[in-house]
Structures are given as C-alpha cells and as structure tokens.
Amino acid sequence: MNMKIKHIYFGLALILLTASCNKTEDAAAPVGGIRFAGPVETKATDAADHSDIFQVRDWYNNSSYLIENTLEYKNNTWDYGTSNTYEWKNGTHKFFGWLQKDGSYTTSSLFGSGFNLTGTTLNIPKLTMNNQVRQYDFLYSNVVERSTYDNDYSDVPLVFNHLFAQVAISFKISPTTADSERPITLYQVYINDNLKNSKSASIDFSAAGKPAVTYDNVSSDGLFATPADFSTLGDYDKTSIPIDVLGQIQIANKAFYYVWPTDEADLQNVITVVYKIDGDSYTRTSVMSFPAGTKWEAGNKYQYTITYMGGILKIVDSVLPWDYVEEVTSVEEQSVMAQWMGWDASTCVVNDTDITFTTYPAGDPKAGKLKKIHGMFKIYSPTQCTYHINMTQNADKYTIENGTGTIGPAAGDFTPGTTIDFYITADDDDRPAAGQPNIISGLSFSVTASGGRDYSLDSELQIDGPFNIIIPSM
C-alpha cells in the first residue's frame, strides 16, 4: 500500500524590518532582523486563530542558539515572545521549531516531564495513546539552513510535520447481507492489548531538511479503550447503527483518534470481535489483523470499517487527507457524539465530580476573590447544531460565559471536533458566610440540531456522574 506522508506548510509572519540587497561573499550581514515567511493559506493556518504558540530556534554556527524564543499569534500578527528582532550574524544558521501551545492546551501537558531540547535533539518522553488522551496535533518543523555567505536574507519558511497518525474504526453488518441471514448478538469489538500503544520519540534537528524521528520504548500498555458490552443492543443486523470501535459507542459517525506511527508487524492480531449467531448455543471470538501491508505513518489519516456477513469478518480501509471530515447527508439522522476534555485545574479544585471555586492567592491584585472556572469539551456530531450549557439549580448565583454556540460551516461556528472552552463565574458577594452551607449547582449540556430537534449531551460529557459546581463558604 503506497501511503504518502503529508506535511503542513505553515508560514509564520512577523512585523519586523529587514534589508534585502546583494552582498559580496565576505560582506557583513544586513542590519535588519531575521523574520519568518508570511502566511500561506492552507488548512493548517486555521489554528492560528486559536492563539497557537510555536517554539523557534536558530542553531548558530553549530554551537549555540542565536534565537531561543517563541512565535505567538496576536491581533492578526505573528510576533516574538520576548524580543523584537534578531540580526543576521555572519555564519551558518539552522532554523526549526515545534508546537508549544494549541489554544489553551500545552505540549508539556500532553507529554509531561522529560520533554526537552538537548542540543538539536527534541526528546519526547514515553506516552501511552488511548481514547482518554487529549487529542493534540503535535507539530515539528523541517530544518531551514542558511549561510550568510550565500547572501540569502529572505524570510525563513517553516514546513511543519505531524508527529502522529489519525485512525478511525467502525463495525457494522454488511448492507448486502440477505434478509434471511441470522442476526448476531454483538458482545464486544475492540482493539486488544496486542497493539503497542506506548512509545517515546526523539527528533533530530541537526541537518537541513526533514528531521530524523526515532521511536523507542515501544510497548503495549493497557487497552486503547475499555471494551463495552454491546449485547444490550439486542439483535444486531444490517439496519443497526455502526459501532465506533475506538470510542466504544454506537454512533453513525466514527471519530478519529491520534495514534503513534505503527509498523505492519505491530498491527497483527490486534482486533477482537466477540459475538453469537442467533440460534447458536456458543459464543465466537475472532482475533483479526489489519490488511496486509497496513502501517500507520505520521501525517496520514486512516479509516477502517469492519464488516460482518454470514460468519465472515472483513476489514475495508482507506487513506484520507488530514483535513478530511466525514459528512452525513441529513443532520437529523446523526447521532450525538461529544467528548469531555477536562477542567483547568489551575482555576478550580477538582475532586471526582465535585468542582469547587477557588480564590486568587495572597499577593495577587484579586487576592481572595473567586477565580473563573474553565471547562472544555468537544462535539463531533450533529455537525450542524447549537449547543447549550445551563445550571440546574441556584442559577441566579452563577454566570456561564460561552454557554451557547454553534457547530457548523458558517463563519464564527465551531468546527466539529474542535475544543470548546466555557467559563463559570460566581459573584463574591454571593459566597455563604463562614459556617453556612456551600452553594451547589449542577450542569446540563444539550444541543439543538439544525432541524430543531433537541438532544442531551449529559451522557456523553458527564459519564462519571453529574458535575457539582460548588461555591464554598467563606
């Protein structure tokens, strides 16, 4: 199978002055500053509106860093984090970078301790990929090498690559199954623990071009998702809604999850299907492999459908563009799929489902006042809808910012699958006095599809039980 790696072409524009004039080979570099190429209109630039921050480096004369800074998108401009300009010093410059922050989420939050740059090698500590891991598209750039003796002081273009692949898997009964075929009772269909879902990586930026990526500490660490029991669905036949194998839910639209690049040998015997044909007294367990030649390459997006017909299981696969979005003809036919992404622990105290307001510390201008609680979630479908977040009691004591919004294709809409940030505030004057009971409210999440039908999101977003939003006493 020929699978072509896709790259992201992502320009970073800075408001900096630079001189551009012809120089002799031994002439001094121009006085103007180093700057990066202007934006290129690609799918990748969509992220710029979410306040992405990129770490950028200039490895100067193969010995030290001239630039060791960030680029941040603010007010329609890319700008350095801590300095206005860096001059073109005579010698060799190697430019590269990586994603530090995607909106409100950071790379260090994903990879944890041990994520660091040593010389020109970026070290990525071991990470277990499963369906509970924050969906984060980590990017790293190619290396652009410039020598001032070549008299090339043009804007530096950075080409960014994906570290991960994306995979979606569904299970269904073949639509060509004859009506006379016996339906099945589906117990389980899941990725088993033969999948090596843990790896560490190192990215070598020492040479011009695409960096070499090395994967180490490869192992299987738990299941990608806890297997659900689908037998409660009753007879499962060609009219049944498909199963999202990685999400372990029954839904029309399957979701894509980030996975480590994986070789063909590590995709053998990794799918388990447990079922019983109606009328039989015994249960069947099939362990399946992905099609011969399959491997998951970074920067590719893979879609698989496991189909069952008359005792035969088959996998149909396809490789898709990275920005592919699956569409269903009728929004009203789409099932609800949403994912809770967590609370920002710096804004509140999280104890299971109890979420308690906290206060600004001493020395802060707002010391003693209640912080604004920050929560995050995603909606995958319906792909055109309006979401609503409401308090279930004591609503007059709380205010929700970004408590409603739209998913869809129009300007200002959230794209299906992007992170939605919302904030809960409480008036300090409403805090109970010392010794008085805390004020508690719940949350209700719902969507209204474009045709007007309402759906609850609570079973998707409050899977561990209803959240309790607590205003503590003084």
Side-chain angles (χ1 to χ4, degrees), residues 430-444:
D430 286 333
R431 288 190 67 183
Q436 296 297 310
N438 297 334
I439 297 175
I440 302 176
S441 183
L443 285 176
S444 173

Side-chain angles (χ1 to χ4, degrees), residues 167-396:
V167 173
I169 307 172
S170 67
F171 174 92
K172 67 178 184 180
I173 305 296
S174 172
T176 61
T177 300
D179 292 335
S180 59
E181 287 279 0
R182 290 181 291 170
I184 65 171
T185 297
L186 176 65
Y187 291 97
Q188 294 178 323
V189 51
Y190 62 96
I191 300 297
N192 61 43
D193 57 9
N194 288 328
L195 178 68
K196 293 180 171 61
N197 58 342
S198 288
K199 296 179 183 179
S200 62
S202 59
I203 303 174
D204 182 359
F205 293 106
S206 61
K210 186 174 181 182
V213 181
T214 302
Y215 300 99
D216 293 307
N217 301 308
V218 179
S219 64
S220 173
D221 289 302
L223 296 168
F224 192 88
T226 301
D229 180 5
F230 296 110
S231 63
T232 57
L233 300 176
D235 285 347
Y236 196 84
D237 58 26
K238 65 181 181 180
T239 66
S240 299
I241 296 173
I243 304 296
D244 181 337
V245 176
L246 299 183
Q248 286 296 295
I249 58 174
Q250 184 180 30
I251 193 167
N253 282 8
K254 53 188 169 294
F256 285 86
Y257 289 86
Y258 292 109
V259 296
W260 285 110
T262 304
D263 293 332
E264 178 181 1
D266 292 331
L267 292 175
Q268 304 301 302
N269 302 316
V270 296
I271 305 169
T272 298
V273 185
V274 183
Y275 65 99
K276 183 172 72 173
I277 299 176
D278 280 13
D280 288 350
S281 59
Y282 56 92
T283 300
R284 306 172 187 229
T285 299
S286 294
V287 179
M288 307 176 66
S289 302
F290 285 92
T294 297
K295 59 181 178 179
W296 295 340
E297 295 183 333
N300 276 342
K301 193 169 186 175
Y302 303 89
Q303 177 176 264
Y304 301 92
T305 302
I306 307 168
T307 59
Y308 170 89
M309 183 175 67
I312 299 174
L313 289 164
K314 180 181 179 181
I315 299 178
V316 178
D317 64 324
S318 57
V319 182
L320 305 168
W322 186 264
D323 56 359
Y324 169 84
V325 177
E326 186 175 27
E327 296 182 357
V328 175
T329 303
S330 171
V331 173
E332 288 301 304
E333 295 175 359
Q334 297 178 20
S335 300
V336 169
M337 183 175 181
Q339 181 181 9
W340 180 248
M341 304 306 296
W343 298 99
D344 182 346
S346 68
T347 66
C348 56
V349 176
V350 180
N351 183 11
D352 196 15
T353 56
D354 289 343
I355 315 301
T356 305
F357 280 90
T358 188
T359 57
Y360 290 96
D364 190 285
K366 298 181 180 179
K369 294 185 178 297
L370 295 173
K371 288 185 177 181
K372 184 186 299 185
I373 293 176
H374 176 199
M376 296 158 282
F377 64 98
K378 293 183 178 183
I379 297 175
Y380 295 96
S381 66
T383 53
Q384 294 182 38
C385 63
T386 300
Y387 74 82
H388 313 278
I389 310 172
N390 294 295
M391 312 305 297
T392 58
Q393 65 260 13
N394 296 315
D396 61 319

